[in-house]
Amino acid sequence: MAIAITFLFSIILLLQPNLSLSQTTTTCTSKTFSKNRLFASCIDLSQLSASLHWTYDPTNSTVNVAFTAPNPNSNGWVAWALNPAKPSMVGSQAIIALHDSDGKIVVRTSNISTYSGVDFSPIMYDVWGMEAEQGEIGGVWVMSFFASIKLPHGTTKMSHVWQVGPESKSEELQKHDFGEENLNSKGVMNFASDGVNSGSSNSRLNERNVHGIINAISWGVLLPTGAIIARYFKAINSSGTAWFYLHVSFQVAGYILGMAGWGTGLNLGVKSKGVQYTTHRNIGITLFSFATLQVTALLLRPEKDHKYRKYWNLYHHTFGYTILVLGILNIFKGLSILNSGHKWEIIAIVIVGFFIGITLLLEITSFVRSHLRKKNLATITNPNKQDQDVQSGV
């Protein structure tokens, strides 16, 4: 059964598209942001070399966006706006990244009602989590901003415009150019779509999910099950050596699946340059290294009566329990990275609780069985002991 599970998920992994370790595109799918931000969809906008990234949540009509565009001026500004009426500057609800009097990049909003200028003001949509960043890439300054927007219920499609300006000192915007690109930087946006060229972005998101699923099954289900089999089922005399083969089957299956998960993690690291999950990565490397040592040690397992067998057992048990603890810890680290929500964290807690409950139950059963066995053995070896206890009033 364990081998079948491993085979199934290995096939799923192999069928995932775009798992190449090389990255040749320079589209929106290759862009990375600080704080390990990832978005489900993206699109390269038609003008100004800009791109829009977003994740839309239909349950609450909320969209998380990132707008990014190059700007030849390090003190420049960039803007992106939604217009519920038409693709025009007037009437647009704008989010603008610019520089304050200290030269710090900030984010402001504006309900643009005239062509004569921009006054910062609240817009008709609830907006929060606004942040901005900029950096020099290939000699060109690139500005990006992030925001969460509450859209009208059921509305996913509307006009949008975007712009790049030359300078913004003390939060005052200089007029943008009126070239062909500037005048044509407008279109219609559908947040319910996957984006024109978001295939690789979705692939990366899907690959993260596959990475999480197969590692959760490996380190969170198969390996703990194998450990439980080894600790408790070998005590059942009638099981013979069946427990051993079951134990090895689950552990090898978990290791193979864990190896696939480790590989997808490395691939994600290559695809997401500048994005680092240091703790999750370091635990993963340690985990896979320990698991490899465990599998290798199986080939060096001494016979039961060998003088070094007790040392091998100590090593095997120590590394085994360490792997279980690190595996569960890294599963929860991974869930926090995926921003999977409390539902999946609760499911993970329930599964861990189930294994802890089974372990406690089997531990009690094992203790009772051991106690009864010792009592029966004492009765057999000293049959007069019970009579003596009765006569003495014990």
Side-chain angles (χ1 to χ4, degrees):
M1 181 180 70
I3 298 297
I5 293 174
T6 302
F7 177 76
L8 174 62
F9 279 91
S10 297
I11 293 298
I12 292 174
L13 177 65
L14 291 174
L15 291 177
Q16 288 299 308
N18 300 319
L19 295 186
S20 169
L21 292 178
S22 63
Q23 185 138 349
T24 58
T25 62
T26 56
T27 64
C28 66
T29 59
S30 64
K31 290 183 173 64
T32 58
F33 303 105
S34 65
K35 297 184 179 179
N36 301 316
R37 295 179 174 99
L38 280 178
F39 298 87
S41 307
C42 72
I43 183 172
D44 289 308
L45 299 176
S46 59
Q47 308 295 332
L48 301 174
S49 299
S51 65
L52 184 68
H53 308 246
W54 74 94
T55 299
Y56 176 67
D57 186 352
T59 61
N60 55 16
S61 300
T62 298
V63 61
N64 299 321
V65 300
F67 174 81
T68 182
N71 195 319
N73 193 329
S74 62
N75 291 320
W77 58 269
V78 299
W80 173 78
L82 291 172
N83 193 320
K86 58 183 179 179
S88 169
M89 174 179 169
V90 174
S92 64
Q93 310 299 302
I95 303 175
I96 307 165
L98 67 159
H99 295 82
D100 62 14
S101 57
D102 297 324
K104 181 182 177 181
I105 188 169
V106 294
V107 184
R108 299 289 183 258
T109 59
S110 177
N111 186 342
I112 301 176
S113 58
T114 175
Y115 285 107
S116 62
V118 174
D119 294 322
F120 301 130
S121 61
I123 61 176
M124 62 187 301
Y125 309 117
D126 290 335
V127 183
W128 65 94
M130 296 187 297
E131 296 182 41
E133 63 186 28
Q134 70 174 0
E136 190 174 8
I137 302 176
V140 178
W141 286 97
V142 176
M143 298 181 67
S144 304
F145 65 74
F146 312 92
S148 296
I149 307 170
K150 178 74 172 180
L151 300 176
H153 181 70
T155 300
T156 61
K157 188 176 181 180
M158 64 179 67
S159 300
H160 70 140
V161 296
W162 60 97
Q163 200 54 258
V164 173
E167 194 168 1
S168 59
K169 290 184 177 180
S170 300
E171 300 192 29
E172 293 184 5
L173 305 183
Q174 288 193 4
K175 288 186 177 181
H176 59 77
D177 293 337
F178 289 88
E180 183 178 354
E181 282 202 90
N182 299 88
L183 296 177
N184 291 324
S185 56
K186 55 188 176 181
V188 177
M189 186 65 214
N190 185 2
F191 293 111
S193 72
D194 290 333
V196 173
N197 52 14
S198 62
S200 296
S201 178
N202 283 336
S203 172
R204 184 167 57 173
L205 191 63
N206 291 336
E207 190 176 348
R208 285 183 6 143
N209 292 335
V210 170
H211 171 74
I213 290 170
I214 60 180
N215 277 299
I217 293 174
S218 169
W219 310 108
V221 176
L222 293 177
L223 293 180
T225 301
I228 288 174
I229 290 171
R231 177 164 176 80
Y232 301 107
F233 284 76
K234 69 178 179 181
I236 302 175
N237 295 329
S238 60
S239 67
T241 58
W243 73 267
F244 176 75
Y245 293 109
L246 275 175
H247 170 66
V248 171
S249 176
F250 272 90
Q251 301 307 85
V252 171
Y255 175 74
I256 294 173
L257 208 57
M259 181 165 55
W262 188 63
T264 58
L266 293 178
N267 191 37
L268 284 167
V270 171
K271 287 183 175 180
S272 307
K273 296 185 183 299
V275 180
Q276 293 187 359
Y277 302 102
T278 305
T279 304
H280 184 64
R281 180 194 62 190
N282 290 342
I283 295 176
I285 292 173
T286 303
L287 200 53
F288 185 71
S289 300
F290 281 10
T292 301
L293 287 174
Q294 282 286 72
V295 172
T296 305
L298 184 64
L299 304 175
L300 305 175
R301 181 170 172 258
E303 295 295 332
K304 285 185 177 181
D305 56 352
H306 196 283
K307 64 179 181 179
Y308 292 125
R309 179 59 180 264
K310 63 180 180 180
Y311 301 111
W312 186 91
N313 286 340
L314 178 62
Y315 150 81
H316 186 63
H317 295 158
T318 302
F319 271 69
Y321 290 126
T322 302
I323 288 171
L324 292 180
V325 172
L326 289 178
I328 292 172
L329 175 63
N330 222 24
I331 286 172
F332 283 99
K333 291 294 294 183
L335 287 174
S336 65
I337 291 170
L338 285 173
N339 292 321
S340 56
H342 293 302
K343 179 181 74 173
W344 292 105
E345 291 181 355
I346 291 173
I347 291 174
I349 291 172
V350 169
I351 293 174
V352 172
F354 170 78
F355 276 106
I356 291 175
I358 289 293
T359 301
L360 289 175
L361 179 62
L362 291 173
E363 191 70 34
I364 294 171
T365 303
S366 178
F367 174 79
V368 172
R369 183 187 296 271
S370 176
H371 178 73
L372 293 176
R373 187 184 298 116
K374 290 179 180 179
K375 186 176 181 180
N376 292 336
L377 182 61
T379 303
I380 293 172
T381 56
N382 190 3
N384 297 323
K385 177 71 165 55
Q386 186 174 4
D387 294 336
Q388 294 172 0
D389 290 342
V390 172
Q391 293 174 6
S392 62
V394 178

